[in-house]
Amino acid sequence: MKNLKWLIFACLFSLKIMSASAQYLDNYKYIRFNLYQDPYNIGNTLYDAFANAGFQIVSNNEYEQMNMTDKALTLLAEYNYWVGRNDAYSGIQVCLDNRMHPIWESYQSVHGSSKSVFRKMTKNIVADIERSHYHFNPNPSPSTEHPYVYWNEDSIMNYLRSQTLLPIEGIYQEYEKNIKIAILQHQGNFFGITLSPKGENWKKYRTQIRLKPIDDNLYDATFDYYFWERMKKLGTLSGRTLEFSYGKYKHEKFVKVYPPESQGKKTAKVGNGQCKATGSGVLISDNIVITNYHVIEDANRVEAVVNVNGVPETYNARVLCSDKTNDLAIVCIKDENFKGQGEVPFKIVPNTIDVGTSVFTMGFPLATFLGDEVKITDGIVSSKTGYDGDVVTYQISAPIQPGNSGGPLFDKSGNLVGITNAGIDKSVADNVGYAIKTPYVLSLMDSAPITIPVPNGKNLVDRPLPELVKMFIPFVVYIKIY
């Protein structure tokens, strides 16, 4: 009876209508509907309006089977009716899925709700559909306000691997509520895409945060929780922690978990100060070095430092080819003074190795502080997949530091099994690193513009680790980028 009384004496607190231009609407061919609660059968009215206009209506199951091109041509209509103890909401929203701002929205916050008010909101949207004279345009007008529509975690990871990132960009985890987001930059603003599973407030792969810089490491953040609730917060970036607050209350604290500090560093200062980045590599034939793409991506000039008879010698090199998707590159030493290091003693494993395999890394981490001698860390293969199930990489327990990137990962039998490319900040987890599997290395070698022989190696089973390390040091390369 109390709810019925609210329905009779509805008190309208707010009503918002936002319309779309016909040109904008013409960009989309399909529409799907999410019905949360529909006590007045409003859904049929919306179905008919969009079908009569010429849209193709698809079910949520049909949408999941669509290719990415058709998904990008699909609108989402959401509508809900809810009555609580002290208030109520009625709302309709028609928006491009995964976008913060809807094409149409009409909502109200009331003490109780009524059929007439909800129908009035629907009528406003239907009338605007009719006025738009919709006609699908297969060559849509570009929209740059929200550039990451329909990106998923794979495309986000590829972007993060292939770009020189600003400090705020990356993947963040909030541990109390288990929320994961990606922050990406576009035209001076930043967008937060939800990566955590669908929940009451957060919807997977939807752009739900927009951040506008207001000062160094300070951002005006707009959160899109529901179509009737958008919250303004202050975002503060401190190191690898992004904190959002409103008023005097701290609300969410996110820690950057990807990319780790060892990836994408472009500020190393070595030698005379002209070097802008350093990394590691492994010599796999006469003058061919495997390293990471992110080590050499901004290179104007490359130098390779090789241990020759116990003495580090510097040689000119150039990038031969690269695979930025899998974070691999091949560098060729092109210097008449380089005579090679002789027969490569190790083999390259052509397949994946088992979890639990003992491994060790070699490279030049934190050379500014630790010196330019080869450093060794050991551990095991913890998982056959890397960060968030990435099949290209292993997770390993051997710690990876800035400068290790591009260095070799060997098993205890002396076989090359991976190329190290990332680590996790110790504030998040200890002894977690990642290495790219050698099948991807062999694939890049096979596609190189010159023929690169695959090393036959020696039988090194049961050789003690110190002997393996001594044997491999001449083939571990210190890379400098200018």
Side-chain angles (χ1 to χ4, degrees):
M1 289 297 294
K2 189 173 182 179
N3 283 350
L4 179 60
K5 186 176 180 180
W6 284 355
L7 294 178
I8 297 172
F9 299 102
C11 177
L12 180 63
F13 282 161
S14 64
L15 176 65
K16 182 177 181 181
I17 305 291
M18 182 166 64
S19 299
S21 70
Q23 182 183 18
Y24 189 62
L25 188 63
D26 288 348
N27 289 351
Y28 310 108
K29 183 177 182 180
Y30 308 96
I31 188 166
R32 67 187 179 105
F33 295 84
N34 279 342
L35 169 62
Y36 297 105
Q37 294 188 69
D38 187 20
Y40 304 131
N41 201 24
I42 300 300
N44 287 336
T45 304
L46 288 177
Y47 294 158
D48 292 343
F50 279 98
N52 292 337
F55 276 89
Q56 295 184 31
I57 298 174
V58 297
S59 68
N60 287 327
N61 287 336
E62 290 171 331
Y63 172 80
E64 294 300 329
Q65 301 303 315
M66 281 180 162
N67 58 41
M68 297 304 289
T69 300
D70 285 340
K71 282 185 176 182
L73 300 177
T74 304
L75 295 172
L76 170 68
E78 294 182 329
Y79 44 104
N80 199 357
Y81 169 87
W82 175 79
V83 177
R85 176 175 296 178
N86 298 315
D87 55 6
Y89 295 98
S90 296
I92 302 168
Q93 174 177 265
V94 182
C95 62
L96 175 59
D97 200 3
N98 289 4
R99 297 185 68 154
M100 179 183 296
H101 293 292
I103 294 175
W104 293 283
E105 69 175 343
S106 178
Y107 69 88
Q108 62 168 354
S109 173
V110 301
H111 285 311
S113 185
S114 70
K115 185 175 182 178
S116 62
V117 173
F118 206 0
R119 282 185 167 175
K120 180 180 179 181
M121 292 188 297
T122 309
K123 184 178 179 180
N124 289 331
I125 290 179
V126 169
D128 200 56
I129 296 171
E130 293 173 349
R131 285 192 297 267
S132 69
H133 302 293
Y134 162 78
H135 180 74
F136 173 62
N137 176 15
N139 300 304
S141 306
S143 174
T144 58
E145 185 181 5
H146 297 273
Y148 304 111
V149 176
Y150 293 105
W151 276 35
N152 57 26
E153 198 147 358
D154 287 339
S155 54
I156 289 170
M157 291 288 286
N158 288 339
Y159 171 89
L160 294 173
R161 288 190 185 115
S162 63
Q163 301 296 314
T164 300
L165 304 177
L166 295 171
I168 195 173
E169 289 186 280
I171 294 176
Y172 292 79
Q173 179 75 49
E174 195 279 334
Y175 288 93
E176 182 178 350
K177 299 177 182 177
N178 194 29
I179 301 165
K180 184 164 62 173
I181 61 173
I183 303 292
L184 306 178
Q185 182 270 153
H186 182 68
Q187 296 185 350
N189 290 323
F190 298 89
F191 298 86
I193 304 169
T194 303
L195 303 180
S196 52
K198 292 182 179 179
E200 182 179 2
N201 290 357
W202 302 88
K203 296 185 178 181
K204 192 170 184 179
Y205 298 147
R206 180 171 292 184
T207 302
Q208 291 192 258
I209 309 172
R210 185 212 297 249
L211 299 102
K212 292 184 177 181
I214 55 178
D215 203 347
D216 289 344
N217 298 322
L218 291 178
Y219 301 86
D220 179 9
T222 301
F223 280 67
D224 174 46
Y225 289 131
Y226 307 98
F227 51 79
W228 60 78
E229 180 183 353
R230 290 191 176 89
M231 185 176 289
K232 288 280 191 180
K233 300 182 185 180
L234 177 67
T236 306
L237 180 67
S238 177
R240 296 178 65 82
T241 301
L242 181 59
E243 189 168 56
F244 296 104
S245 59
Y246 59 95
K248 63 181 180 179
Y249 301 102
K250 301 299 182 184
H251 191 54
E252 290 117 352
K253 182 182 290 187
F254 291 80
V255 177
K256 185 185 287 189
V257 295
Y258 192 90
E261 284 190 309
S262 62
Q263 181 169 328
K265 290 288 185 181
K266 301 298 177 187
T267 58
K269 301 295 181 182
V270 182
N272 61 7
Q274 295 178 351
C275 179
K276 63 181 180 181
T278 67
S280 304
V282 57
L283 195 65
I284 53 94
S285 72
D286 290 340
N287 64 341
I288 299 298
V289 178
I290 305 295
T291 186
N292 287 146
Y293 172 80
H294 78 257
V295 171
I296 55 85
E297 62 177 320
D298 289 335
N300 295 317
R301 181 165 63 89
V302 180
E303 289 183 349
V305 183
V306 183
N307 187 300
V308 180
N309 299 320
V311 178
E313 301 285 356
T314 301
Y315 301 99
N316 294 319
R318 65 179 178 87
V319 177
L320 180 65
C321 60
S322 63
D323 175 3
K324 65 180 180 180
T325 299
N326 295 318
D327 196 22
L328 288 170
I330 296 177
V331 171
C332 180
I333 300 176
K334 299 290 288 183
D335 195 311
E336 61 181 13
N337 295 317
F338 183 67
K339 306 305 181 184
Q341 295 289 69
E343 182 185 1
V344 176
F346 51 81
K347 300 176 182 178
I348 301 179
V349 172
N351 44 33
T352 58
I353 58 176
D354 292 331
V355 172
T357 299
S358 295
V359 292
F360 64 97
T361 72
M362 301 181 71
F364 300 89
L366 300 171
T368 304
F369 305 101
L370 303 180
D372 56 2
E373 294 182 359
V374 174
K375 305 299 187 299
I376 315 297
T377 60
D378 67 346
I380 63 169
V381 174
S382 307
S383 171
K384 283 191 176 183
T385 57
Y387 179 79
D388 240 16
D390 181 13
V391 298
V392 174
T393 56
Y394 299 111
Q395 179 180 314
I396 58 177
S397 63
I400 303 299
Q401 303 292 339
N404 268 122
S405 294
L409 178 72
F410 295 107
D411 65 16
K412 294 298 179 66
S413 296
N415 300 306
L416 183 67
V417 297
I419 299 295
T420 58
N421 78 320
I424 287 289
D425 188 270
K426 287 187 176 181
S427 64
V428 179
D430 289 325
N431 299 332
V432 175
Y434 300 105
I436 302 160
K437 300 170 182 176
T438 44
Y440 296 92
V441 176
L442 291 170
S443 177
L444 180 59
M445 290 169 59
D446 187 58
S447 64
I450 62 173
T451 300
I452 301 175
V454 178
N456 295 322
K458 303 176 181 178
N459 185 357
L460 302 177
V461 177
D462 298 329
R463 298 287 185 98
L465 182 58
E467 184 177 338
L468 292 176
V469 169
K470 185 177 180 179
M471 193 180 303
F472 294 163
I473 281 177
F475 297 88
V476 182
V477 181
Y478 181 32
I479 296 176
K480 298 181 178 181
I481 302 302
Y482 296 86

